[in-house]
Amino acid sequence: MTTSTPSALITGGTSGIGRATAELLHQRGYRVAVTGQGATSTARARAELPEDVLVLQSDSRSSDDTARMIEEVRDRFGQLTTLFVNAGVSRATPLGSVDERTWDDVLGINTKGAFFTVQGALPLLVDGAAIVFTIGIGATPPYGIAGGSVAAASRGARLAMVPTLALELAARRIRVNAVSPGAIDTPIWSKFGMSTEAADAQKRALASLIPLGRLGDASEIAETVAFLASDGAAYLTGQNIVVAGGSGLAL
């Protein structure tokens, strides 16, 4: 794929892995647009990211929001060379406590939102573009996370789209791949309702179970996404790359 200036749309790009990817691609000369669902995180991203990064507030559960977001990207960039479908939620809820609203919210963002974001962005994607989905090891057998059944279902459905979309879009040389992060040290830990001390203890305990002995950094996932978006991955499609420090290798 050869274009004068590459351009990327990153959903869920105002914090964590999405923001790290936005910063990396911007450093590498991309025009970048990011979306965030919340007003606070969106405002912070507007203040802290380079001023030429397009920051949009958009709820991927809403078809109107998605259509409006795509139009704003079209007006600014005209076309896209990379789509990183990263927006998602993970709510730890035991099976017996899952209600219909939780199910609808999680699948609305992680599955419905992902699908219709790709559909909406398709007219903007140049031939030879790259689509990358964030999945997560909790949705990739044999991994599992207690209390994560709804998130696993939603992200598993997202993962199941990858090979089908890769085949469907191959005629345009649009490559479709996924990245599955393991335990990554991002702001999501602050959303679990634990104190800083409890969260740190939880992260240390988790790190002790990982062969490489630590949690990953968002920048390490960003590097994988950047590779999948690059010409270096021009012959790679329909794949899911697990970036998890060796989690799950030990018997």
Side-chain angles (χ1 to χ4, degrees), residues 82 129-133 175 177-179 222-234 236 239-241:
T82 299
I131 299 172
V132 183
F133 289 87
R175 298 173 295 102
N177 292 291
V179 60
E223 289 283 359
T224 303
V225 176
F227 165 69
L228 290 172
S230 75
D231 288 342
L236 184 63
Q239 305 303 307
N240 175 40
I241 299 179

Side-chain angles (χ1 to χ4, degrees), residues 55-126:
V55 181
L56 302 170
Q57 185 174 353
S58 179
D59 184 341
S60 62
R61 294 170 297 185
S62 165
S63 57
D64 288 342
D65 269 20
T66 299
R68 186 164 47 248
M69 177 266 293
I70 292 295
E71 280 305 307
E72 292 191 63
V73 173
R74 185 197 302 273
D75 290 345
R76 175 69 71 90
F77 298 160
Q79 63 182 25
L80 288 169
T81 60
T82 299
L83 172 62
F84 182 26
V85 185
N86 176 66
V89 293
S90 296
R91 295 178 185 167
T93 309
L95 176 61
S97 300
V98 174
D99 57 23
E100 190 172 358
R101 180 176 179 179
T102 298
W103 176 271
D104 289 344
D105 281 349
V106 173
L107 270 78
I109 294 171
N110 292 356
T111 308
K112 173 189 170 184
F115 180 88
F116 285 106
T117 294
V118 173
Q119 184 189 73
L122 195 57
L124 303 188
L125 290 168
V126 301

Side-chain angles (χ1 to χ4, degrees), residues 177-201:
N177 292 291
V179 60
S180 282
I184 307 299
D185 195 358
T186 72
I188 196 171
W189 291 88
S190 65
K191 299 179 181 179
F192 292 154
M194 294 184 287
S195 66
T196 301
E197 294 76 12
D200 287 344

Side-chain angles (χ1 to χ4, degrees), residues 31-45:
R31 295 177 297 173
V32 176
V34 301
T35 72
Q37 182 178 339
T40 300
S41 65
T42 304
R44 184 183 302 115

